[in-house]
Amino acid sequence: MNPNALQKNVRKQLLRIGQMAKENFGGEKSEALTAALLQSEKKLDVIRQHAHVVSKKIHGCAQGSGSTLEKHQKRLPTHALATSLAEGGQALGPDSLLGSVMLLCGECLKELSNHEAAYERELDADVVGRVNAILEEEGPKVDKSKKKLNSARLDMDTAKSRHASALKSGQQLPSKVEALQSAQDDAETKFDHQQDAYATDMFRFLSKEHEIAEETYKLLERQLVWHRQSAKTLEEFLPKLQTELMTSPNRPVFCCSLEEHLKLCRCEIAVVIKRCTAALRDGCMDTEGIFRIAGGASKVKNLVAAFDARAEQIHLYDPHTIAGALKQYLRDLPEPLLTYKLYPEWIKAAAIADINARLQAMWQLAQQLPKANSRNLSCKFLTEKPLWLKNVWKVTRGVT
């Protein structure tokens, strides 16, 4: 740098420092901005501050990241859950109800994670990206203009101070006073010019308010698209899952309606009735008090749980335990085998004194039962009348 220019620059900086010192100790200081420009500056500061905060928060809400959609999707918690569900479903296999449900849920969540990744990438590129571009493009321009304005204001106040001192002392040559006046005029012109430049940059930034508002609106607009896509996917998969749950035979047998159980198992006789009566007929008919004597509570619970779990190998224990499980099944039916509708008629029939008339009335009632109830009521075990009369209802000796 030219020595004269360097010396001039150093002198200028020293004068600025001196003026700043005066201002700090109560010296006069020119206002850099008019009241209207101060109001605009305050609004600008609020817009910058909150636009930056909102942009940062939006970016912070993103659950994934990555250079491509696939990489972004794989980093989402939803995708991780989808992967775990798929692995669990494959391990259990399609023959398992839980396995089938896990596979469907995993497939559904994978699609949902795809929608989520696309939404987050669009949000980051369009909303966050555009708002940050405005802040990074217009913000530094305003800051630079403000810095230049403050320097111009400081130079102007310095020139005014030097000119005022020269006039006050009365000892300066007229040419010197005139030179200081000219320097003051130049400084004032430069200040006015820089004030206009700052106002222009500030107003240009403020004119972007509508664009920032539009990008903020797009935040919700894109959320709506994302949620609609997600809702469409859920509406597609939920009926499949519901069908899987409703049609799968792998569900508890106890407390399930007879009609539904027969439909799911595609059979005519309930599994518990069929297995238990077959076991009782197979060498247990001479056992005393099959239904009267209770089976072991823990064994009955074990047998009930085995039936509910659809265990491949079911240990049927002793006749009393088998009979206990059968009684439990009949008690737990939501609709009794003899039906609620016909219950009063069964009570009336049972009260008939004449045995032949009583049997005739019961036979007529049995014909009114639903087909499923009638078939299960008239299974072979219950129709072997001679064995029931001779053996099943044995009582202990001495009891009539």
Side-chain angles (χ1 to χ4, degrees), residues 204-221:
R204 186 184 293 115
F205 195 129
L206 289 172
S207 70
K208 302 290 184 179
E209 179 183 0
H210 185 270
E211 191 172 345
I212 296 174
E214 281 186 332
E215 297 303 328
T216 306
Y217 161 77
K218 288 178 183 178
L219 166 65
L220 295 185
E221 188 179 47

Side-chain angles (χ1 to χ4, degrees), residues 166-224:
L167 291 175
K168 186 177 180 181
S169 67
Q171 298 177 359
Q172 296 290 344
L173 295 173
S175 59
K176 180 65 174 178
V177 174
E178 185 178 344
L180 291 173
Q181 177 66 55
S182 177
Q184 178 180 334
D185 293 340
D186 290 343
E188 288 176 348
T189 301
K190 185 178 179 181
F191 171 77
D192 290 339
H193 174 75
Q194 196 57 50
Q195 191 179 59
D196 290 340
Y198 176 65
T200 300
D201 289 336
M202 187 165 55
F203 289 143
R204 186 184 293 115
F205 195 129
L206 289 172
S207 70
K208 302 290 184 179
E209 179 183 0
H210 185 270
E211 191 172 345
I212 296 174
E214 281 186 332
E215 297 303 328
T216 306
Y217 161 77
K218 288 178 183 178
L219 166 65
L220 295 185
E221 188 179 47
R222 280 167 173 72
Q223 277 204 342
L224 178 61

Side-chain angles (χ1 to χ4, degrees), residues 68-295:
T68 64
L69 177 63
E70 185 179 0
K71 289 181 179 179
H72 190 113
Q73 181 182 359
K74 286 182 177 179
R75 289 190 174 96
L76 290 172
T78 307
H79 187 272
L81 176 57
T83 302
S84 297
L85 285 167
E87 291 172 352
Q90 290 171 0
L92 289 168
D95 294 334
S96 164
L97 173 59
L98 181 57
S100 299
V101 170
M102 278 188 165
L103 286 171
L104 280 171
C105 285
E107 187 179 347
C108 177
L109 286 174
K110 187 176 181 181
E111 284 196 25
L112 291 177
S113 68
N114 183 271
H115 300 325
E116 186 178 0
Y119 157 74
E120 288 186 355
R121 289 179 65 80
E122 287 179 5
L123 207 62
D124 193 59
D126 295 344
V127 179
V128 177
R130 184 55 194 150
V131 171
N132 285 344
I134 294 172
L135 293 174
E136 291 169 5
E137 181 181 348
E138 301 298 335
K141 291 180 181 178
V142 172
D143 293 338
K144 187 176 181 180
S145 290
K146 181 66 180 292
K147 186 176 180 180
K148 287 182 177 180
L149 177 62
N150 286 331
S151 294
R153 196 268 314 160
L154 199 59
D155 291 342
M156 181 183 69
D157 285 349
T158 301
K160 283 181 178 181
S161 177
R162 292 183 69 198
H163 182 244
S165 297
L167 291 175
K168 186 177 180 181
S169 67
Q171 298 177 359
Q172 296 290 344
L173 295 173
S175 59
K176 180 65 174 178
V177 174
E178 185 178 344
L180 291 173
Q181 177 66 55
S182 177
Q184 178 180 334
D185 293 340
D186 290 343
E188 288 176 348
T189 301
K190 185 178 179 181
F191 171 77
D192 290 339
H193 174 75
Q194 196 57 50
Q195 191 179 59
D196 290 340
Y198 176 65
T200 300
D201 289 336
M202 187 165 55
F203 289 143
R204 186 184 293 115
F205 195 129
L206 289 172
S207 70
K208 302 290 184 179
E209 179 183 0
H210 185 270
E211 191 172 345
I212 296 174
E214 281 186 332
E215 297 303 328
T216 306
Y217 161 77
K218 288 178 183 178
L219 166 65
L220 295 185
E221 188 179 47
R222 280 167 173 72
Q223 277 204 342
L224 178 61
V225 173
W226 169 39
H227 288 309
R228 279 177 175 169
Q229 290 175 334
S230 299
K232 185 178 179 181
T233 299
L234 289 169
E235 287 171 357
E236 177 187 346
F237 277 91
L238 284 175
K240 294 179 183 179
L241 286 162
Q242 188 69 25
T243 301
E244 191 71 31
L245 290 170
M246 294 301 295
T247 59
S248 173
N250 297 326
R251 60 189 304 173
V253 176
F254 285 74
C255 299
C256 178
S257 70
L258 181 64
E259 183 179 358
E260 184 179 3
H261 169 64
L262 297 178
K263 181 180 177 181
L264 293 174
C265 295
R266 298 178 183 179
C267 56
E268 294 186 349
I269 304 298
V271 172
V272 177
I273 294 177
K274 184 177 181 180
R275 293 288 300 274
C276 289
T277 55
L280 291 173
R281 282 177 30 243
D282 187 16
C284 298
M285 300 303 292
D286 291 331
T287 303
E288 182 178 333
I290 293 179
F291 289 99
R292 177 173 54 81
I293 299 174

